[in-house]
Amino acid sequence: MTGSSSRLRTRWTAVALAAASLTLAGSAIALTRTAPAEAAVTVAAVEDDGAGCQVTLPGSTPSNSRLPDPFTRIDGTRITSKSDWRCRRAEIRELAERHVLGDKPAKPTGVTGTVSSDRITVNVSHNGRSATFSASVQLPSGTGPFPAVVVYGGFGADTATIRAAGAAVISYDPYAVGQEGTGRGNKQGAFYTLYGNTSSTGLLAAWAWGVSRIIDVIESSGGTVLKADATGVTGCSRFGKGAFIAGVLDQRIGLTMPIESGTAGVPIYRGVPGEGAQSLSSAYGEQPWFGDAFGSFTGNPAALPVDTHQLVAMVAPRGLFVMDNPHIANLGPRSASVAALGGAEVYKALGAGGNITYHSNVSNGSHCANRPEWTAPLQQNIAKFLRNSGSYTGSIQMHSSATGNLSQWRDWTTPTLSDGPTTTTTTSTTTTTTSTTTTTTTTTTTQPGGCTASVALNQWTGGFVATVKVTAGSAPLSGWKVSMTLPSGAGITNAWNVNRSGSSGAVDFTNVAFNGSVPAGQSVEFGYQATGSGAGMSPTCSAA
């Protein structure tokens, strides 16, 4: 049987978006989106940047055989600006956790560990309980620190290609965090040691929690071996399900690459029954991948207020590369392509249509095979989203035997979202553990002319990562400068997407070539890693 969420670090690159064109080549249909260069790619510095959003879930929702509208809030209103997506995404996350996955807790009270050239150790503690797990590391050639791809069970995208593309491979054993074969009433592994073996959280969310704790340790390690802001995740089959959900639930993951994930992965739940794919009840019963609450929907997916096209959308605008097998109907490739097409509508609305790739246009039907058709896009996705280089534009490429039709599944249209923010909010959260203090400040503001800057910190003992957002006012920017005074003893070790005048004291940060032009009301972000403490910094912005 095939088996196969806390919260932003942002990188900007030029993106290309497009008008869809349908081409027929031999036995394959390639739906390719290309377009003029557009706005920006956002990755993240926190696990869940919507954690401060107020979400009230309804007691019940009407049944709907069509895919729910990702742009319509729970209260029935539609989002109108790109900044509205943050809290709309938070609503979708809550719906998915309640009805499909089970709760993915935020970072536990204690997370410590080590990162070396060949191993990562993770020690977690919460409410008097503790657990430990580890993952092996294989570095690429060259000089670090390196980006890294977490490979579920050693079973995902080709590891040789990953390393050749300049990224490290982290071999993650998800069974150490959540075992299969134990049943829903006696779940085992590090996650369930902390949260109880009768937890209603399914394995996919538990495994995703484990990936998030690995990222926590990389962040607190000082970034000497692996980069704290450049992590991808991949897996095939049941591990493809896991990799997909990890990318959905942690916004620090820059590139998500599920392969042939099948039911409980990318395919829309509403489409599985009519495609001949593994049934929802079979997937629910085979292993506790789903959360316990999903049991009431296995025979009636139309009653679900959420579907996987919305989970695809939750990855936006970060990198997503879905690899699928059109030759095995049990994997639900047609339903998976519909999920990709539906999620791509959110990517396009956010100005990031070039950041999603769906590829099932392959000739080899073997399950989880390394396919030559995926080698180039794998390299290009790693370059763009983990190495911050290249100008790769994603596309939707569906094989003719498994071509989804989104129009058959939706009764909603894709809105044109405005660029400017619609509200002014400031959220500050501080979490302190025995080894780590994380302070996150998110500011969204409307400014009449000029620009504003805000800083978000991820602070640990001895170091921090700062993510700085530059927002244009009522007029566009053709260049910008952010001035910031680092506290005594703090020193910058590396920076991305920015030029800087120094490493300590009063530092001026100026745009690089690709992020100097900022439309009115839009934002770009840059970041840097430093030793010492970043507390109390107050950035100022000026147009250049």
Side-chain angles (χ1 to χ4, degrees):
M1 176 68 267
T2 57
S4 309
S5 119
S6 351
R7 316 196 185 227
L8 186 56
R9 180 171 336 231
T10 305
R11 223 172 17 244
W12 286 71
T13 59
V15 188
L17 247 184
S21 63
L22 189 64
T23 61
L24 182 62
S27 64
I29 291 178
L31 181 62
T32 306
R33 288 181 166 82
T34 55
E38 254 220 0
V41 181
T42 311
V43 193
V46 287
E47 191 172 337
D48 179 11
D49 78 332
C53 297
Q54 295 297 317
V55 178
T56 301
L57 296 182
S60 62
T61 54
S63 183
N64 184 3
S65 63
R66 300 289 186 95
L67 295 177
D69 182 357
F71 301 100
T72 295
R73 301 181 181 95
I74 288 172
D75 66 6
T77 62
R78 297 195 96 201
I79 65 173
T80 58
S81 73
K82 294 173 184 177
S83 63
D84 290 338
W85 175 248
R86 181 176 72 92
C87 287
R88 174 56 185 146
R89 181 186 181 279
E91 290 185 340
I92 296 169
R93 176 181 174 130
E94 291 295 328
L95 289 168
E97 289 190 344
R98 172 183 282 189
H99 300 296
V100 179
L101 302 169
D103 181 52
K104 180 200 173 193
K107 183 178 180 180
T109 305
V111 180
T112 62
T114 60
V115 178
S116 70
S117 61
D118 62 1
R119 183 155 297 274
I120 296 173
T121 63
V122 181
N123 309 303
V124 288
S125 60
H126 192 71
N127 290 341
R129 298 178 177 181
S130 61
T132 299
F133 61 96
S134 64
S136 64
V137 176
Q138 291 180 292
L139 299 180
S141 60
T143 303
F146 301 100
V149 176
V150 177
V151 181
Y152 269 63
F155 201 47
D158 180 48
T159 56
T161 300
I162 292 171
R163 293 175 67 197
V169 170
I170 300 172
S171 295
Y172 168 53
D173 178 10
Y175 294 155
V177 176
Q179 295 180 20
E180 290 190 340
T182 58
R184 294 188 175 274
N186 186 31
K187 300 185 180 82
Q188 302 294 317
F191 178 90
Y192 300 103
T193 297
L194 261 62
Y195 300 106
N197 60 7
T198 60
S199 166
S200 61
T201 296
L203 291 178
L204 301 183
W207 294 348
W209 175 92
V211 173
S212 294
R213 307 295 68 88
I214 290 174
I215 297 174
D216 291 340
V217 171
I218 295 172
E219 286 183 335
S220 65
S221 70
T224 57
V225 179
L226 301 177
K227 291 185 176 180
D229 64 335
T231 303
V233 63
T234 188
C236 188
S237 196
R238 67 192 63 209
F239 297 150
K241 308 179 201 295
F244 175 54
I245 298 304
V248 167
L249 296 180
D250 194 324
Q251 291 174 277
R252 297 172 298 180
I253 294 173
L255 177 59
T256 302
M257 300 183 289
I259 304 174
E260 301 180 37
S261 58
T263 305
V266 175
I268 56 170
Y269 309 130
R270 285 162 169 80
V272 162
E275 188 175 353
Q278 182 183 16
S279 70
L280 297 173
S281 58
S282 171
Y284 181 82
E286 181 177 345
Q287 298 291 343
W289 296 317
F290 288 109
D292 293 357
F294 189 78
S296 61
F297 298 101
T298 57
N300 185 23
L304 278 166
V306 68
D307 214 314
T308 60
H309 69 301
Q310 292 164 291
L311 303 189
V312 168
M314 285 179 65
V315 182
R318 296 169 289 132
L320 177 60
F321 178 24
V322 179
M323 291 161 270
D324 221 337
N325 187 339
H327 307 289
I328 302 178
N330 193 57
L331 292 169
R334 183 176 292 107
S335 295
S337 69
V338 173
L341 290 166
E345 294 302 299
V346 174
Y347 271 86
K348 289 192 294 180
L350 295 176
N355 294 352
I356 179 172
T357 296
Y358 176 85
H359 199 314
S360 67
N361 193 355
V362 297
S363 59
N364 185 341
S366 300
H367 188 38
C368 292
N370 288 328
R371 294 177 168 81
E373 296 97 332
W374 293 340
T375 300
L378 174 59
Q379 294 169 330
Q380 292 164 326
N381 272 277
I382 290 172
K384 180 176 181 178
F385 296 106
L386 300 185
R387 296 181 58 84
N388 196 25
S389 64
S391 57
Y392 174 71
T393 301
S395 62
I396 308 294
Q397 299 189 40
M398 302 176 290
H399 195 278
S400 60
S401 66
T403 299
N405 185 346
L406 180 60
S407 65
Q408 295 177 347
W409 288 99
R410 69 165 169 173
D411 51 12
W412 43 268
T413 59
T414 301
T416 299
L417 301 180
S418 66
D419 292 323
T422 58
T423 58
T424 298
T425 58
T426 300
T427 303
S428 182
T429 303
T430 301
T431 303
T432 303
T433 72
T434 56
S435 64
T436 304
T437 300
T438 300
T439 302
T440 301
T441 303
T442 303
T443 303
T444 305
T445 184
T446 301
Q447 184 75 7
C451 58
T452 58
S454 62
V455 61
L457 296 180
N458 188 339
Q459 178 79 56
W460 57 85
T461 302
F464 64 93
V465 167
T467 300
V468 184
K469 176 183 282 188
V470 178
T471 302
S474 58
L477 299 172
S478 58
W480 46 264
K481 179 176 74 173
V482 173
S483 299
M484 191 180 311
T485 299
L486 275 66
S488 177
I492 298 173
T493 57
N494 64 82
W496 47 94
N497 300 338
V498 74
N499 297 314
R500 55 188 170 97
S501 63
S503 299
S504 61
V507 180
D508 289 335
F509 300 90
T510 55
N511 62 274
V512 292
F514 64 77
N515 64 3
S517 297
V518 186
Q522 281 199 17
S523 299
V524 295
E525 294 191 7
F526 67 87
Y528 62 87
Q529 185 169 334
T531 57
S533 171
M537 292 189 299
S538 181
T540 59
C541 183
S542 60

